[in-house]
Amino acid sequence: MRFAIADRGADISVCPDASTRAPFSQSATERRVAWGECRQECLPHLLALLLLLCAAVQAEDTITLKDGRTISGTIVKEDEESVFISQNGEQRGIAKSRIEKIDPKPAAPVDPKAAAAEPKPKTVMPAPAALIVQKPGAPEPIVMDLRSSGALIDKVRELGLPDPKARKTAQAEISAKKDEYMPAMLGMLHPKFDSDEFTRIGILRLLAANAPLTEVGSRMLAFVAIHDPHPEVRREACVTIRTLADDDAIRELMRFCQVEDATTKKAVAVALHEIDDKRLLASIIRAIPAPSVTANQGEPTGLDQPKYNLPVGPGGTKLPIWLPAQEVSGVATDIDSPAADLLKLIAKKDLGNMPYSWLNWFREKIGDISQAERDTYKEKRSLRGRMGTPPGDSGSQ
Amino acid sequence: MLRLAALLMMVIAGFLALNVLAADGDFSIGARPKEITSERLAQLVKRLNEAPPALNLPPVAPSKVPKALLPPAPVEFQKTALAAEVVEEAKSELEAWQRLLIPPHFPKAVQKADANVRIRAAWVLGLTRDRRVMQQLVNSAVYDPDESVREAAGLALPLLEEPIALRMLTDLACATDYTRYIWPVRQYAARALVRYGDREAIERLLRELSYELAAGSPYDSKNRMRGVSKGLGTDNPMMLPDGPPGLKLSEEDMYPTLSAIKIVTGKSFDSGEKDMKTWLTWWKKDGPAFVFPTLKAVK
């Protein structure tokens, strides 16, 4: 221990310029000094490299189709009817009539040295730092820097005040300038933004009061209904979607239904249970496939000779007993489906995987048929119907 | 010995450093909110005990209260000077006033706060119109052992103008976990919904009821699940039964939402009660002129 201290002191006094020596011949202190200097010099370069790498990964054009799917790649050609996009070296054409919007690749990253030279704002806001709102019909999207919108944000925060009078005053003020406040409100709904749950609930109520929403607003509403960390905020978003009967938000929710993640799927089911949209439930039921069974029959056996000769005839005579047999093996397909699983979560009941079971559940739920009517139908149906084939079906199931 | 002394010195130095950091304001560890002293709570209890009887009147506007619940001679307490004084005091000490309202068997309950004090505290807190008291009022409206306190808290809740309170009460009234939320709890929540007096409660309950009644119940042997697919080609090829056998649950535990809506609407049907069609037809016909029922004393 003593040697180490002496060695450290001697090295510092003898050789201040650590960079001139080979790294493995340096003392511990010297190496530390050298590493510190090296780190200071290299850090901006490393950051720049990292940014460039990120940009290279994300520098792709994104095409959003009308059915909700997105395609990423590089747009190589565009004519009057189609857009050609290159993905993994392969080109494919997409009809413009199918395209909802095209998001071009982001601009080149900012030079980190130049960015470092700019004065930083005193209060650092968490993500998202900027919000892009595309109004329908507007040529350019509105880009709002949330870091420079402190006054707007403070006013929106008043929507979450505990006193109803103060809330109403804030609501009236914001409603009067809703175009100005809308980007801030939508940005503050993002779960990563530092806003309390009552502020977000206040924003959602104001959005409902200022309907109809833009496409961005509707999609944000659906996102909040699934991903907000607070259950009451999620429920408020669902109430807003139900109140507005917002088709865009419901379409966005249906996109969330397609994810494989069990947590998200459960959150979607809770949201759909709360929204209780008849059209949506009917469409999910429609998406359940009818299961089918394919049977393979083997050769019949036991027909050539009796299997048993039992002494049960008159006077003790033996009677031949034939027991013909045939092997049957089958394969059932479409036994389970994501749509049926989702319905089980929404309804909190397990009605199996038959579409007609869920259709009858739906009809009972909306008051179309009563229990007695259903029982009457069940008793009066044909033998074929009793065997599980729904009426009107051609026998394919 | 020296090591022990050094260790002690390090602990003391660390403690002092943390204190300095905490005092600086940038860093806080173990910082606690201001303690509510038992003396202050005793003062508040005494204050409420000595308040005039006017404080016992519902602090809601007559139009908001179902007629049956109005006292014989309604006085708009909130317009009096006493009310203004007490409410301002409660606004400045919200936490202490909420402590007075905590039901006796709950943690942090004030033992000296009897039913009379809790009733008055509920009304004063309602008059503050501060949303932060919502959870406490919901708790008292459901869990307080005294019916008068539950009534006072239930009547004070609409003053906050916060629909979340209604949703919380609805959740409690329809809770399917019958072991955690036993029938009396759900019943009190349903009664609090009647006191809340908002039609949205009925609509929420009807939506929940539609999920509960459609296609039967797995718990009810007399109303088994209808249309459940079983056998080959289904996801139940062994044809296992739908629900747990022989639980012998009460009607309230099998149908929590149905039981709650019967209390909230005061409506029951001789036949077709477990049919959503019956309830929807009734609500379509009688819904526009619906009046909340008079609550009878709890058995």
Side-chain angles (χ1 to χ4, degrees), chain A residues 160 168 205 349 357 364 371, chain B residues 131 161-162 214 216 226-227:
Chain A
K168 280 177 187 167
R205 285 176 187 164
K349 279 180 183 174
S357 303
E364 278 195 42
Q371 181 186 344
Chain B
R131 185 174 42 200
E161 297 180 36
E162 182 50 73
R226 295 180 284 280

Side-chain angles (χ1 to χ4, degrees), chain A residues 55-92:
Chain A
V57 168
Q58 293 181 348
E60 285 190 330
D61 302 309
T62 308
I63 296 177
T64 308
L65 301 181
K66 285 180 180 169
D67 60 3
R69 286 184 298 157
T70 55
I71 299 164
S72 300
T74 310
I75 295 175
V76 289
K77 203 170 88 179
E78 188 174 348
D79 58 19
E80 287 181 359
E81 292 179 350
S82 317
V83 175
F84 294 87
I85 190 163
S86 169
Q87 282 182 308
N88 303 325
E90 289 181 10
Q91 275 190 26
R92 60 183 287 199

Side-chain angles (χ1 to χ4, degrees), chain A residues 147-373:
Chain A
R147 286 171 296 190
S148 61
S149 313
L152 289 181
I153 288 168
D154 287 346
K155 177 54 76 182
V156 176
R157 280 191 204 280
E158 288 179 17
L159 292 173
L161 288 174
D163 186 27
K165 271 186 187 173
R167 284 202 302 268
K168 280 177 187 167
T169 313
Q171 276 174 6
E173 285 177 27
I174 293 172
S175 292
K177 298 177 186 175
K178 65 176 179 182
D179 289 342
E180 192 181 335
Y181 280 99
M182 191 59 81
M185 288 199 293
L186 292 178
M188 288 172 77
L189 280 178
H190 196 284
K192 285 188 178 175
F193 194 91
D194 182 22
S195 58
D196 66 303
E197 63 268 21
F198 284 112
T199 303
R200 298 201 293 278
I201 287 172
I203 291 170
L204 289 169
R205 285 176 187 164
L206 198 63
L207 287 180
N210 289 302
L213 299 177
T214 58
E215 191 196 338
V216 176
S218 301
R219 291 177 67 181
M220 180 56 98
L221 210 56
F223 183 82
V224 172
I226 306 292
H227 289 294
D228 196 279
H230 200 278
E232 282 301 336
V233 181
R234 293 199 293 268
R235 180 143 69 171
E236 190 70 45
C238 294
V239 169
T240 309
I241 292 171
R242 189 178 59 233
T243 313
L244 301 179
D246 196 317
D247 289 340
D248 284 336
I250 287 175
R251 202 173 296 131
E252 188 72 9
L253 279 174
M254 288 308 291
R255 285 185 60 203
F256 282 117
C257 293
Q258 296 164 11
V259 297
E260 293 293 324
D261 176 32
T263 315
T264 310
K265 212 160 203 175
K266 198 172 177 189
V268 171
V270 171
L272 297 184
H273 181 100
E274 178 68 35
I275 293 168
D276 195 31
D277 190 280
K278 288 178 190 171
R279 298 168 302 169
L280 206 145
L281 290 174
S283 64
I284 297 173
I285 291 168
R286 181 75 185 148
I288 301 175
S292 59
V293 179
T294 313
N296 296 315
Q297 297 177 342
E299 286 294 318
T301 56
L303 291 173
D304 50 344
Q305 57 181 359
K307 192 170 177 80
Y308 304 109
N309 284 306
L310 300 178
V312 290
T317 54
K318 289 185 176 178
L319 275 182
I321 309 289
W322 276 271
L323 287 176
Q326 188 176 25
E327 278 187 11
V328 178
S329 60
V331 177
T333 51
D334 287 335
I335 284 179
D336 210 350
S337 74
D341 288 345
L342 185 64
L343 273 172
K344 287 172 193 174
L345 287 173
I346 294 171
K348 298 175 187 172
K349 279 180 183 174
D350 188 355
L351 285 176
N353 56 333
M354 293 288 185
Y356 62 84
S357 303
W358 287 104
L359 187 63
N360 283 328
W361 166 82
F362 179 67
R363 290 180 70 194
E364 278 195 42
K365 184 182 175 311
I366 61 172
D368 187 30
I369 52 168
S370 66
Q371 181 186 344
E373 284 166 352

Side-chain angles (χ1 to χ4, degrees), chain A residues 349-352, chain B residues 215-220 223-230 235-236 239-245:
Chain A
K349 279 180 183 174
D350 188 355
L351 285 176
Chain B
S217 165
Y219 300 112
D220 190 358
N223 184 24
R224 279 283 182 207
M225 299 268 281
R226 295 180 284 280
V228 182
S229 49
K230 290 176 185 174
D235 56 357
N236 186 7
M239 302 181 77
L240 299 172
D242 303 327

